[in-house]
Amino acid sequence: MTKMGLWVNEHWVEVEPGPGEMLSDVLRYRLGLTGTKIACDEAECGTCTVLMDGEPILSCSIPAMKASGRRVVTIEGLAKNGNLHPLQQAFVNFGAVQCGFCIPGQIMTAAALIEGNPDPAESEIRDALKDTLCRCAGYPSIVRAVQAAARSLRTGEPVAQSELPEASTLVTVGRIVPRPDAVEKVNGSARFADDLTFPGMLYGRTLRAGVPHAILTALDVARAKALPGVRAVLTAEDIPGEHRHGLVIRDWPVLVGIGDKVRYVGDAVALVAADERRIAEAALALIETSYEPMETVTDPVRAREDGAPLVHETGNLLKHIQVRKGDVGRGFEQAEVILEDEYFTPTTEHAYMEPECSIARPVSGGRLEIYVGSQIPYSDRSQVAACLKMPVEKVRIIGTLIGGGFGGKEDIAGQIHAALLAKATDRPVKILYDRHESLLFHPKRHATRIRVRLGAMRDGRLVASATELYGDTGAYASLGEKVMTRATTHSSGPYVVPNVKADCYAMYTNNPPSGAFRGFGVTQSAFAVESTMDQLAERLGINPIELRSKNALRPGTVTNTGQILKESVGLMECIERVEAEVRRRAGADPFASRRVEGAPHLRRAWGFAVCYKNTGLGGGAPDKAAAEVELRQDGTAEVRTSSAEIGQGMVTVLQMIAAEELAMPLEAVQVLLSDTDLTPDGGPTTASRQTYVTGNAVRHASNVVRQAMAATLAEKYDVPPDSIRFVEGLAQVNGDRLPFGEVVSLMKAEGREPRATYEYWAPTTQALGTGGDMHFAYSFAAQAAEIEVDLDTGEVSVRCVIAANDVGRVINPLGLQGQIEGGVMMGLGNALTEEFIVEDGRVFSDRLARYRMPSIVHTPEIVSLVVEHPTSEGPYGAKGVGEISSIPTTPAITNALYNACGVRARRLPVDQDWLARELAQMQAKA
Amino acid sequence: MTSWEHYVRPGSLDEALTILAEGDGSARVIAGGTDLLLDIQQGRHPPVTTLVDITGIPEMLAIAAAGDEIYLGSAVTHTTIVHDPLLNENTLCLIEACGLIGGPQVRNVATIGGNVAHALPAGDGTIALLALQAQAQIASAHGRRWMDLEELFVGPGQASFDRSREILVGFRFKKRGPDEQTGFRRIMRPQGVAIAILNMAIWFRGSNETGIEDIRMAIGPAGPRPLRARRTEAILRGRKLSDDVIAQATEALLGEARLRTSPHRATVEYRRHLTGVLLRRTLAAATGQDTPTPVAVGG
């Protein structure tokens, strides 16, 4: 080892980097500067960017020795004298911070840009940030923030505020407010799981099978155990409790035992804990395994055929899901036009910037604490407890910040494994997945094959819809049944169709599992039905917008599952507002192919699509959330619930609701999330449900506290409770103004707790097939996308997306903007770039360089039109927004592509290679 | 697995060569490391005992004009190239190629020598240097030699010099003469793997009046080694550009380029289709009839 010195944030430090040590290792693990994050560890994503002699570089791929004698600046070194750098302030003000994991990289890269270029054009910002990925995809906000920071630096004026309109009928709800965690996320002090260390902590690694379908015939860990520095090697025999986990069906082995079956390459076989991560990794290589390979089945259609290899002894069918309405046979007989087509969607990957990390720590009383960024902490607790054979009270899940989830952090990752190793060694154990392991192991978006048949009258009225779906749920159930149910129930679109028949086969295969992913099945079926609707419009000679308007769900209509929609159906307004904006920009015929002056090889056109998406679990599942609200002696309040903040803005929403109900300043409300000892169960962060369900729990709990304050004051002042006013953290009674802190003292003096827990139950829903309300609310959306296609190369770019979303009621405008822009970008990736490639059960997309997602250079102009058709029971009328914004983007783009060049995409993503060949063939024929 | 044991930063070429000699095959030169370190981490290159960082050796960092030639040190980063006035004046194709590689973070450390020494058939900087008819200087314990850049490539990832004992020091190529222009274009695909599916550089002397007096072009990936398309050059030399001439040139290029299907990157049919498109676009760029390089959307 060689000693070296370098300047870090203007301090001279001396270190002795070990073999293979990168600059990021020195910064994070030797110097404790954990603001620099590692997301891909392969120079692909830009997250780890720091400045070296003023230039941005990727610290994950710079040997530490290269920094010898150089000046390194990290995100921690940007703020001066406790004042945020204008860039940091601008990222806060403009809502450019969501999950926050990529933000240090964005800010450092941008800092170098504006240092050398005080007035960067948008194109220069895009150039500079082209390889710095943000999966929340707040790219438009990032551009706005960089421009605002540059302006502030040029003029010396304070950093501007976001110019988003506020909704102002309430005191706090609807206002533009910064995220409570924004400052720590821009200054580098935010702690994600891998940023935590504990004394004596060991490092765990997982041996994965690497074969898609086989019997594990031998497993020898002796050599691994003998390696110096190894503290434990565990196999299936060492599991004290349940050997399987799973969110719905416990079919997923914690570790595959000898004689048991491997069902996909990511199956875990053995665990190692060692003093250092590299020792644990070396130990994995010493574990000897042998497998008896079995024939694989990797296609869901093949999986349903007779004689297909069986993934599970019970068969390959996870669930046959059926939707029936009216008489579909008669419907098609009646139809004057019938259109049928088939579509394929690939497996896609969440690619949250933060890879999974769990730390388990034995604490006094025989308890285990687990630090993890999880979307369902209480489910983690019960699954860990079951596998370790511990009472649930002995397990505490402590949620850390989460660097993106999108549905991918609902299943168990390393929680149980870390717990097993911690129990075995009586030491804290951290299991951090690198990107490679994350890609291999965790559940994805279902690949589907969807056949759609629509019957319509000549005037455009839909009379029948028949859909057949195959969903590839991979090796384990995860949430496969629920996802494919949503795909099926939404498969005839947000339309009134009197006769419906849909059959879906959710199939096990030897591919990596599929589960929850933003859009939850509707992403896939919306692509299929919206592509078919455009074809139908062309066949009928009807404008695509008119065809949709003619059939759109409205209040009082019946969905294909038999639900009468009573309220909050803003689809028509979404359609009308997008239509108006498109026509304003593109004139009377936006769907016509247009040439581009001076570029004969380019064509442009707009495309249109609509969708709906349920809020909440639905289908008869009890959907409830509990929250606790406590007023404290210092006049502040704390809101507690186990809901997860995955970047979507949950903390802000709950903070605003409590502040509104308690009539307190926003800053006086703190929110504590995701701690199973301290926060009641908010239920899973899934199904766009948290604002509605947990939001209501907080609203009601706040009201109970407020009423308790009123009751105390009413008794003391002998006035009717409703004569007492609460304003800005003060109680006004009989002309007196009491700060809430004093009210708390009064309450305590009379033995009344200034605290309330409320368990909110969302309206009851009905199981599929029983009629009635399958969901308590739906969000609606319409989008138009303008694309440009290069007829020579097949390159497609999106120029503009106009998105109208009926969200019921806007609570947090800045957060909503992030959800809409990020959702559109994810839909764009789904249309044009993303495919998780698996070949015969083996993962090809095992590096980020092999999974392509949109970057800032793919980002179109995004115009958000907010539609508010309130729900009667959602908080202030709100319903879900997390998923709806993403769903119509893909078909709007593929419809635009057809309009521009006449090629219909039936398989995603639209492959440039394929498209160019199609175009060449068309040209040859013409 | 540890990527390397020792990391050394010699201050002179002699010192670096001595360390390599002492390593007896177990040492390896590193510049920016953007290719090499990933290759080691992902198992495409075995771990090395000693990494010899040559980015502190002055002559390898130089950019200088000497007579009618330009010398470019191999450890010069892509960022430095893109901003260098001498290179901007003389070698637009190199500027365009180096500006398209990665984002600023990668360009700040990745070097032109690293791009060439990696010996891939479609390195962007490599293709540009081939069109410039560059020569490369190799230093070994026994001395130095200049070779035509083309001679440096043996096969995909294989170079004709011993990368565990010898060092690629720098390049030299001619300054831009009267009526000489260059251009570089590439086509990316935003699905699959993040590598260019076809790139091309052209050096050209001529004018609208005289037509193409002389031309050099390079294309990749069009075989195991970066390809100087001499047969296509011969078709174009002495001709005036027309649709017919370009069609003939495309035919010739399809004849000498060994295009193939790379899984998850491009089909051979697509590459064949793109060959004519890219030829037309790069010719337009080199003859000044095209707008400046657009941002690579697929990049």
Side-chain angles (χ1 to χ4, degrees), chain A residues 64 152 555:
Chain A
S152 166

Side-chain angles (χ1 to χ4, degrees), chain A residues 281-532:
Chain A
E281 186 159 317
L284 291 185
L286 298 176
I287 297 173
E288 289 159 30
T289 54
S290 40
Y291 298 98
E292 186 185 308
M294 302 172 72
E295 190 189 344
T296 57
V297 56
T298 58
D299 174 77
V301 178
R302 164 77 182 127
R304 195 165 157 253
E305 289 170 3
D306 287 339
L310 288 183
V311 181
H312 291 271
E313 293 68 16
T314 47
N316 291 339
L317 182 67
L318 169 62
K319 186 82 178 179
H320 175 195
I321 301 145
Q322 303 177 58
V323 173
R324 300 285 184 269
K325 180 188 181 189
D327 181 337
V328 81
R330 266 232 310 268
F332 280 112
E333 277 169 27
Q334 187 191 344
E336 292 169 329
V337 175
I338 295 173
L339 215 136
E340 184 168 347
D341 212 335
E342 190 174 43
Y343 304 88
F344 298 84
T345 69
T347 304
T348 60
E349 154 69 29
H350 307 78
Y352 26 72
M353 299 315 294
E354 181 209 22
E356 299 85 343
C357 182
S358 301
I359 304 171
R361 183 165 82 123
V363 291
S364 60
R367 300 188 79 212
L368 265 182
E369 289 179 354
I370 296 170
Y371 296 80
V372 62
S374 164
Q375 291 184 238
I376 325 182
Y378 275 87
S379 161
D380 289 1
R381 185 176 76 157
S382 61
Q383 294 188 74
V384 169
C387 295
L388 273 85
K389 213 172 179 180
M390 292 168 73
V392 286
E393 310 79 51
K394 294 275 187 188
V395 177
R396 177 181 180 187
I397 306 294
I398 302 175
T400 60
L401 289 175
I402 305 177
F406 313 109
K409 289 176 180 168
E410 298 187 23
D411 294 87
I412 285 289
Q415 293 93 321
I416 296 169
H417 292 163
L420 288 166
L421 289 169
K423 202 78 182 160
T425 58
D426 201 30
R427 302 258 294 262
V429 178
K430 177 190 282 185
I431 294 187
L432 167 69
Y433 294 164
D434 57 20
R435 180 60 59 181
H436 177 72
E437 187 168 12
S438 172
L439 287 166
L440 278 188
F441 134 83
H442 80 249
K444 322 279 176 211
R445 188 191 300 286
H446 287 72
T448 61
R449 190 194 85 171
I450 304 176
R451 196 189 295 270
V452 180
R453 193 163 185 244
L454 290 179
M457 306 307 284
R458 263 189 250 289
D459 66 1
R461 239 174 338 115
L462 292 173
V463 288
S465 157
T467 319
E468 185 190 66
L469 306 92
Y470 278 85
D472 178 0
T473 208
Y476 299 107
S478 178
L479 289 165
E481 177 192 334
K482 311 269 178 207
V483 170
M484 291 315 299
T485 299
R486 229 60 83 224
T488 314
T489 57
H490 289 66
S491 66
S492 53
Y495 304 117
V496 180
V497 191
N499 305 295
V500 177
K501 175 176 183 287
D503 288 276
C504 173
Y505 306 97
M507 303 305 301
Y508 284 115
T509 67
N510 293 117
N511 291 325
S514 284
F517 191 167
R518 188 186 211 172
F520 213 82
V522 185
T523 304
Q524 294 94 314
S525 56
F527 165 63
V529 71
E530 287 302 282
S531 298
T532 313

Side-chain angles (χ1 to χ4, degrees), chain B residues 272-293:
Chain B
R272 289 183 67 82
H273 169 76
L274 285 183
T275 300
V277 174
L278 192 59
L279 176 63
R280 224 175 311 123
R281 290 187 181 183
T282 316
L283 274 170
T287 54
Q289 288 159 10
D290 192 18
T291 47
T293 312

Side-chain angles (χ1 to χ4, degrees), chain A residues 30-108:
Chain A
R30 289 186 191 270
L31 305 178
L33 295 170
T34 54
T36 300
K37 310 296 182 196
I38 303 301
C40 73
D41 218 2
E42 52 162 320
E44 195 63 33
C45 74
T47 297
C48 66
T49 302
V50 300
L51 304 185
M52 191 158 80
D53 292 346
E55 298 293 341
I57 50 113
L58 301 172
S59 63
C60 80
S61 303
I62 296 287
M65 289 295 295
K66 255 190 191 299
S68 179
R70 317 280 291 264
R71 290 186 174 269
V72 171
V73 180
T74 71
I75 189 73
E76 290 93 343
L78 216 53
K80 292 280 182 281
N81 309 318
N83 298 318
L84 292 181
H85 184 283
L87 264 174
Q88 293 171 314
Q89 190 62 54
F91 270 64
V92 173
N93 292 1
F94 284 81
V97 180
Q98 297 183 57
C99 88
F101 200 77
C102 76
I103 293 302
Q106 303 286 354
I107 290 179
M108 297 315 289

Side-chain angles (χ1 to χ4, degrees), chain A residues 66 792-793 832 852 912-913, chain B residues 31 102 188 191 267 270 273 298:
Chain A
K66 255 190 191 299
D792 287 343
T793 63
L832 296 180
R852 312 290 300 283
Q912 173 179 318
D913 187 319
Chain B
M188 302 286 288
Q191 303 89 32
T267 61
Y270 186 45
H273 169 76

